[in-house]
Structures are given as C-alpha cells and as structure tokens.
Amino acid sequence: MQKKGINLIKKEATNIEQYYSDGKGEYKIPILSVFHDKHGLWIGTDGEGLTLLKSQNKISRFFCKTTNNGYVGDFIQCIKPANNGSFWIAIYAQGLHRFYPDLQNTRNETEKSVPRHFISHNNVQDILVLPSGDLWIATWGGGLVYFDTKVQMSWPYRHEPGNPESLGGDNVLALSPDNNGCLWLATYGDGLSMYNPVTKKFKNYKSENYPGLASNYIFSLLPGDDNSLWLATKEGPVRFNLKTSVFETIPMDGADTQRRSIVSLLKDKEGNIWAGTQKGIMRIQKGNNKISFIPGLYDNFCLKSAFKDEDGKLYFGSNERVVAFYPSQIQFEMPSPTMCFTDFKLFNKPVPIDAKSVLKQQIGYEKKITLKHNQSVFSIEYAALDYSFSQNINYEFKLAGRDEDWQSVGTQNTVTFTNLPSGQYTFMVRPVGEPSYRLTTPAQIEIQVLPPSGLLGGLILSIYALLYSLCICSENIL
C-alpha cells in the first residue's frame, strides 16, 4: 500500500488549560476581560458580549444580542466585583454598568438588573472599587473619573495644558492604589501619573525625565513586594520603587518587539511576576528578575485581560482564547522538537511515490532527491513536531552548495527554489526562537540537479564555455 504522508501528533503544553468564548473554539475572538468566581469563568469578549463557563468549556450562559439570556453589552472591557454579589462592568462606548448575576433568567430581567450609570465619559478602561463603594474610573479620552455611587454623580480629572500638576494625559488604561492612599495611573503615551487625594494634585513621570522608564506607553499596573509598582510597557517590564522614585527596566536580551510589548501582569503566591505579551507569557523570577517564557505558547494576549483566582490559578485572555494554569506546575525546560519534511512538490503539484518518480518513498524517509535539469521549480515543506500551541514557530534554512548563511523565513513552513544550476546541494532547516530549539538537529536532505544531456546538453555547455571565454577576454582587455 502506498504511503500517503506523515501524521503529526502534537503534545499538549504541559498543565495549561484553554477556554473559548463559544465553549468549543470553533469561533475564536479576542478576550478583553476575564474573571472567576463561584459561578464559574466569566469571559468578556470583543464584540460578542459576556460568556459564563461552568466547567472546562461547558457553556452556562451567553449574555449577548442573539440569545434570550439577556443583553449586557458587546465589548466587555473590564469586570470588577462590587458588593452584594454584583459586578461592575465596563463596556466600550456604553459606559459603566452594574450586573447582578444571580438575577439572570430572561432578557427582560437582565435589562432591568444591568442599570446604565451615566458618567462623564463612556469609554471605560479600568475600575477601582473603593471600600466606600465609590469608584475610580480610568477612561480613554476622558481622563480619570471619580464616581459617587450613592448620589450617582461623577467628577472628571483631565489633563490641563500648561499645568504640570494636572493629569499627564487623558488616555488612561489602568489604575493601582498604594499603601499611602495615593492612586497610580497608567497612560497611553503620557507615562505614569500619581494622584494625591490630600493635595488634589498629580505628579507625572515620563521617560524623558526618568531614564529607567522604558516607555511612556503603559498598559497595566501591578503592586509588587517591597513597596514597588510593576509597569507593563511597550518596551518591556519596569519595576518602580515607590520610596526612591527610581525606575528599573528589566532586560529582555534577544526578545523581539512582540515579546517586549507587555500587556498584562499578575503575581503568584511566591512573588514571581507573570506577564502576558503580544507573543506569549513570561515569568519574572523573584529575587533575580530572570525572565523565562512558557515554551510553545505564542498567543497575542490582550490589554489587562488577566485574573488570579483564590486558589492561585492564573488566567490570561488572548486574541482567541483564555489560557489558565497553576504557576507551580509550569515546566520551562521542555524537550527540543524534532524537525521533519512533510511534502515535496514539482511546479506546485504533488509528486507521486513510485519507483520511476523523483520520490521513491515519502519525503520524510528520503535521504537524497535527484532532479533533471528541466525540473526547475520545486518546493519543500517541513514542520517541527512540537506542542499544540506551536503554530507560530519561526524557522531558518540553508541550501549548502549555494548559501553561506542561514536565512530566516519567519513562520513560513515551505521553501520554493527555481532554476538551480546543476550540482550537489544539501537543504537544511531548523526552528528558532526558544532556548530548547538550540538542541534541535536540523532536518536535511541532499538534492542533486543533473546537467542537461545529449545534443541539447552539449549546446548549452558550449554556450556556457563561450560566455566564460568572453568574460576572461574582457577582463584581460580591461
């Protein structure tokens, strides 16, 4: 029986759970917010409302326009617990809402139990619930807002040009209180701001004046140990000493732009910092600030879409799902993947496998391929047998006999060659980007391109010889 190909059996990344807003993963959309409580896992989506999962991808309720469960909103940007078992929910372009999950039975009941609270600006990015029940609210375009829940009134704090004691910028993404009663604000492009409720003044910190601050684009904040504040910035993680006002950017040697872009922060029970990036999740180890990325995980994670539950499990929302894990169960040292060839094509068409064909057996078992001179366009496909999260592995290849250096091709898993001169070549390919990949042996196969034969071959060789002679003569004349 003819072999048809190779079946790739991918391992699951160890101890990582994944959840989808539709419960199945058939319709993947960005997860803007995530929260876990006694009801289950709440997932706030980018355009499809709110989902409640009771257990591993088992849908309990959809709260969106297309169901009778009730409509909360389309773009759920933030979910924060209030008192009496209710939630405060921030919805893009629809302001602030209070949600009572225990009252949800029908659409009409939901609409009654999600009162719309009108504040001075309706693009809410973050919510800080105070012991009094009042709220500090971060908005995009409207600065900082204080909302008195008892009298249903709000007071905005905006940037005032020419006033250095006003808010640094009106695009506020995240809030974090400190032990002294001050409020810290992350802004998009205007650095870090601190509001002192006693003096009612702001103090602003920008990278131009504080060299340790890697970027003025700050996406998330997290209180750290030893009176520190962690900043998720566009150029990497930053630790801020609240006593000395000194910023320290944690080095990320070798990390690309996507991995440097930190979008969410959580702290585990051991004091380690976990950060969602635009390309995976990393751990910053307490004590030495050593950075390690979870192997095989390449999701583009969403701004501030992260949560730690009472058991210490961490949840991160990405552009297509939620990943969750217990930090102590993550393995950073993973086996290096195996490279293999998966397909070979001539002129973009599959090659049959038989005794008279270029392929005598499946490409993964071949050691050498011999091509005629007129088989001038061929493609080789390859894959790294890695984990289920490895759809974004980067590769580089080298054609020995033609190339001196390795060539990067990103996530492309096919290389096409055209019009190779006759000769002996060795095609090699390997994965790059993870520490474990350094141990991976490149997949390689010999390729021989035969010269033309007969009268045509002799004519072509004569032409080559003539052109070569003309080149030599020209050089001598010059």
Side-chain angles (χ1 to χ4, degrees), residues 67-141:
T67 69
N68 290 322
N69 292 329
Y71 175 58
V72 177
D74 295 325
F75 303 88
I76 313 297
Q77 298 191 131
C78 180
I79 306 171
K80 291 293 178 72
N83 47 25
N84 301 324
S86 64
F87 302 154
W88 287 105
I89 295 182
I91 303 174
Y92 172 74
Q94 293 180 312
L96 184 66
H97 307 256
R98 196 156 191 172
F99 179 68
Y100 297 84
D102 291 328
L103 301 181
Q104 311 309 313
N105 288 308
T106 68
R107 174 182 293 270
N108 290 334
E109 288 181 5
T110 300
E111 291 175 347
K112 292 176 182 177
S113 63
V114 188
R116 273 49 174 167
H117 295 274
F118 297 98
I119 57 176
S120 56
H121 203 80
N122 65 2
N123 191 345
V124 176
Q125 295 290 320
D126 197 12
I127 303 167
L128 176 64
V129 182
L130 300 175
S132 64
D134 293 343
L135 309 176
W136 282 113
I137 301 169
T139 76
W140 181 272

Side-chain angles (χ1 to χ4, degrees), residues 15 18 20 88 161 167 171 184 190 212 222 334 342 406 424:
N15 301 319
Q18 48 187 332
Y20 297 93
W88 287 105
L167 177 61
N171 295 326
W184 295 87
D190 291 298
L222 177 72
M334 304 296 284
T342 58
W406 290 86
Q424 297 282 349

Side-chain angles (χ1 to χ4, degrees), residues 57 78 126 153 209 224 260 292 309 315 330 359 386 438:
N57 282 316
C78 180
D126 197 12
M153 293 183 65
N209 303 318
R260 287 180 181 275
S292 303
D309 69 14
Y315 301 80
I330 294 298
L359 292 181
D386 201 344
R438 298 169 188 165

Side-chain angles (χ1 to χ4, degrees), residues 140 173 186-192 207 212-221 230-239 249-250 252 255-265 275-279 282 293 300-301 303:
W140 181 272
L173 293 177
T187 75
Y188 186 83
D190 291 298
L192 180 70
S207 59
L213 178 56
S215 172
N216 287 325
Y217 294 86
I218 306 172
F219 304 130
S220 185
L221 300 173
W230 285 89
L231 285 62
T233 83
K234 189 178 180 180
E235 296 296 335
V238 176
R239 184 180 181 273
T249 297
I250 309 303
M252 295 186 66
D256 59 25
T257 302
Q258 290 176 297
R259 286 197 157 181
R260 287 180 181 275
S261 186
I262 314 298
V263 296
S264 58
L265 295 167
T277 78
Q278 290 185 346
K279 191 179 179 182
M282 70 179 186
F293 277 86
N300 181 356
F301 288 90
L303 297 186

Side-chain angles (χ1 to χ4, degrees), residues 7 56 105 174 180 290 369 398:
N7 291 321
Q56 181 76 28
N105 288 308
N180 298 318
K290 178 183 177 182
I369 292 176
K398 180 179 180 180

Side-chain angles (χ1 to χ4, degrees), residues 90-368:
I91 303 174
Y92 172 74
Q94 293 180 312
L96 184 66
H97 307 256
R98 196 156 191 172
F99 179 68
Y100 297 84
D102 291 328
L103 301 181
Q104 311 309 313
N105 288 308
T106 68
R107 174 182 293 270
N108 290 334
E109 288 181 5
T110 300
E111 291 175 347
K112 292 176 182 177
S113 63
V114 188
R116 273 49 174 167
H117 295 274
F118 297 98
I119 57 176
S120 56
H121 203 80
N122 65 2
N123 191 345
V124 176
Q125 295 290 320
D126 197 12
I127 303 167
L128 176 64
V129 182
L130 300 175
S132 64
D134 293 343
L135 309 176
W136 282 113
I137 301 169
T139 76
W140 181 272
L144 176 68
V145 175
Y146 184 86
F147 182 66
D148 188 317
T149 57
K150 294 176 285 295
V151 299
Q152 298 286 296
M153 293 183 65
S154 63
W155 290 265
Y157 296 78
R158 303 289 297 270
H159 171 67
E160 300 172 11
N163 181 3
E165 295 181 339
S166 69
L167 177 61
D170 287 336
N171 295 326
V172 184
L173 293 177
L175 305 172
S176 181
D178 66 19
N179 295 329
N180 298 318
C182 294
L183 180 66
W184 295 87
L185 302 89
T187 75
Y188 186 83
D190 291 298
L192 180 70
S193 291
M194 184 271 290
Y195 177 69
N196 187 325
V198 176
T199 64
K200 300 187 182 302
K201 296 179 180 179
F202 289 86
K203 181 175 177 58
N204 300 305
Y205 303 80
K206 292 191 176 184
S207 59
E208 299 91 304
N209 303 318
Y210 293 85
L213 178 56
S215 172
N216 287 325
Y217 294 86
I218 306 172
F219 304 130
S220 185
L221 300 173
L222 177 72
D225 296 330
D226 303 323
N227 204 29
S228 64
L229 180 69
W230 285 89
L231 285 62
T233 83
K234 189 178 180 180
E235 296 296 335
V238 176
R239 184 180 181 273
F240 179 56
N241 189 312
L242 295 173
K243 290 184 178 179
T244 63
S245 294
V246 173
F247 293 89
E248 177 191 8
T249 297
I250 309 303
M252 295 186 66
D253 298 336
D256 59 25
T257 302
Q258 290 176 297
R259 286 197 157 181
R260 287 180 181 275
S261 186
I262 314 298
V263 296
S264 58
L265 295 167
L266 292 174
K267 183 174 67 174
D268 66 22
K269 293 180 178 180
E270 304 300 321
N272 302 308
I273 304 299
W274 295 79
T277 78
Q278 290 185 346
K279 191 179 179 182
I281 295 174
M282 70 179 186
R283 181 191 67 183
I284 306 172
Q285 195 167 346
K286 183 180 179 180
N288 58 16
N289 289 337
K290 178 183 177 182
I291 288 178
S292 303
F293 277 86
I294 297 179
L297 186 60
Y298 301 100
D299 289 48
N300 181 356
F301 288 90
C302 297
L303 297 186
K304 308 186 304 301
S305 185
F307 182 76
K308 181 176 75 172
D309 69 14
E310 293 181 352
D311 295 330
K313 181 185 283 190
L314 308 185
Y315 301 80
F316 288 88
S318 79
N319 61 349
E320 60 181 31
R321 62 183 166 192
V322 176
V323 298
F325 54 88
Y326 289 100
S328 61
Q329 297 179 359
I330 294 298
Q331 299 179 18
F332 289 97
E333 297 298 327
M334 304 296 284
S336 58
T338 300
M339 283 298 306
C340 72
F341 296 115
T342 58
D343 201 4
F344 182 84
K345 295 180 179 180
L346 282 173
F347 299 99
N348 203 33
K349 294 183 180 180
V351 175
I353 300 174
D354 58 50
K356 297 181 180 181
S357 174
V358 169
L359 292 181
K360 306 300 185 289
Q361 55 186 337
Q362 205 280 330
I363 181 66
Y365 301 104
E366 291 281 13
K367 301 298 182 184
K368 181 177 181 179

